[in-house]
Amino acid sequence: MNDAPILILDSGVGGLTVLREARVLMPDRRFVYVADDAGFPYGNWEEDALRDRLVALFGDLIVAHEPLACVIACNTASTLALNALRQSYPRMKFVGTVPAIKPAAERTRSGLVSVLATPGTVRRQYTQDLIDQWASRVSVKLVGSVALASLAERYMRGGFVDEQAVLAEIAPCFIEENGRRTDIVVLACTHYPFLVNRMRKMAPWPVDWLDPAEAIARQADRVVGDAGTRSMHGDFDPAVFTSGAPDYATQRIVRGFGLRTG
Ligand code: DGL
C-alpha cells in the first residue's frame, strides 16, 4: 500500500491557507506540512543563499517523506527556486505558488491592479515576466511589504492584529488615476489571506482580494492524479518545523489544521 503524502512547504504558517483548501479537495490524501521557520522570513533573504537553502532542504525532505508531490506554498520561494528544484529533482512533481497576475489582468475592470507580496517576490525577474506575459495592457503596481507576513504569524499565534500597521502596509496598493481606482489586489504571499478581513476593514475602498490557495490545491490534485492510495483516515498528519522547537501556540494552531508536531 502506498499512502505517500503530499508535502506542503512554506516559511511559516502561511502555507496552511493552501493546506486548508487541499484538505477540502482531497479529503482522503495524507499530507506532511513543513514550516521552514528557522529561515523565516524568506522575504528578506539574498537570492542565491535562499535558493541553495531550498534545494538542500527539499533534498532532505524528499528522502525523509517520499512524497507523491511537493507543493511550494510560498510565492517568495517559488518565484526564486521552482526551476532549480525541478532541475535538481527531475523525478519529483513540484507545484509552485506564483502571483495571480494572469487572473487579475483578466478580471480587472478599471485596469489598475496591485500585487501585494514580500520584498523578495516583488524583486523577482519571475514576477516581472508574469506581468510582461499576461498583463501588458494593465497597470500593475508591485507593493513589497516588510511587515505583513510577521503580522500574520503574530495574529495566528496570539489573535492580535495591529490594524494601523495593516493599513500602512496595504495603503500603497490603492491608486486613483483619471477617475479610475485600483479594483484588484493580488495576495501574493500565502500568509496574507489570514489577515484579509482586517485588510477589508482598513481598505480605503472595496476591492477584490485575490487569494490563489484554491487554484494551487486544484493544481496539486491534478498533478498527483491517480497516484498512490486514497483512504479516509482519522489520524493527524505530521507537521515539521525546521527550528525543531515550535512553541505551544504554534502547536495549537497546527492541531486545528489536523496536524501534529514532533
Ligand atoms: N508565505 C511566504 C510567501 O508566500 C512568505 C513569507 C516570508 O517572508 O517568509 O511569499
Side-chain angles (χ1 to χ4, degrees):
M1 188 168 115
N2 174 13
D3 62 349
I6 297 172
L7 189 147
I8 298 186
L9 176 135
D10 180 40
S11 56
V13 300
L16 295 173
T17 59
V18 176
L19 174 68
R20 182 166 65 182
E21 298 296 334
R23 284 213 189 277
V24 173
L25 287 174
M26 298 176 272
D28 47 7
R29 289 282 185 199
R30 310 224 53 143
F31 294 91
V32 49
Y33 186 80
V34 180
D36 183 15
D37 60 334
F40 181 87
Y42 278 178
N44 301 341
W45 275 68
E46 192 275 315
E47 293 198 342
D48 288 341
L50 181 57
R51 193 185 299 105
D52 291 350
R53 178 186 182 85
L54 286 161
V55 170
L57 178 59
F58 270 102
D60 294 343
L61 291 169
I62 290 167
V63 170
H65 301 284
E66 298 181 5
L68 292 171
C70 294
V71 179
I72 309 166
C74 174
N75 295 259
T76 314
S78 301
T79 52
L80 177 70
L82 198 48
N83 293 340
L85 288 166
R86 286 184 173 140
Q87 270 164 22
S88 303
Y89 309 107
R91 291 213 302 273
M92 179 51 59
K93 294 166 178 161
F94 287 96
V95 176
T97 304
V98 301
I101 287 166
K102 182 173 183 249
E106 286 165 357
R107 275 184 228 175
T108 178
R109 288 159 169 254
S110 70
L112 299 180
V113 165
S114 291
V115 176
L116 185 60
T118 66
T121 299
V122 306
R123 271 198 309 268
R124 302 271 189 263
Q125 185 59 43
Y126 196 113
T127 305
Q128 192 52 51
D129 291 346
L130 287 175
I131 296 171
D132 295 344
Q133 190 176 0
W134 303 112
S136 53
R137 291 156 162 239
V138 171
S139 166
V140 179
K141 168 108 191 266
L142 292 172
V143 177
S145 164
V146 179
L148 272 176
S150 299
L151 288 170
E153 290 274 335
R154 202 175 317 148
Y155 169 60
M156 291 301 282
R157 292 202 172 81
F160 173 75
V161 188
D162 178 344
E163 293 183 341
Q164 288 307 322
V166 170
L167 175 58
E169 297 297 302
I170 65 171
C173 294
F174 290 81
I175 313 271
E176 252 177 320
E177 213 173 76
N178 307 326
R180 296 177 305 148
R181 286 170 154 189
T182 304
D183 62 353
I184 297 187
V185 176
V186 177
L187 298 176
C189 169
T190 51
H191 279 74
Y192 300 171
F194 285 132
L195 293 177
V196 74
N197 285 335
R198 303 307 173 102
M199 293 181 183
R200 245 179 227 124
K201 177 176 168 192
M202 302 311 287
W205 58 81
V207 292
D208 189 1
W209 303 89
L210 258 192
D211 171 8
E214 188 192 332
I216 307 303
R218 279 193 193 289
Q219 178 62 8
D221 191 16
R222 262 194 300 273
V223 159
V224 170
D226 292 331
T229 314
R230 308 176 73 123
S231 69
M232 293 302 272
H233 60 86
D235 305 339
F236 283 83
D237 287 316
V240 177
F241 284 77
T242 57
S243 67
D247 57 17
Y248 177 69
T250 307
Q251 294 178 35
R252 224 180 32 186
I253 299 164
V254 299
R255 280 189 81 83
F257 286 81
L259 301 166
R260 66 175 158 66
T261 54

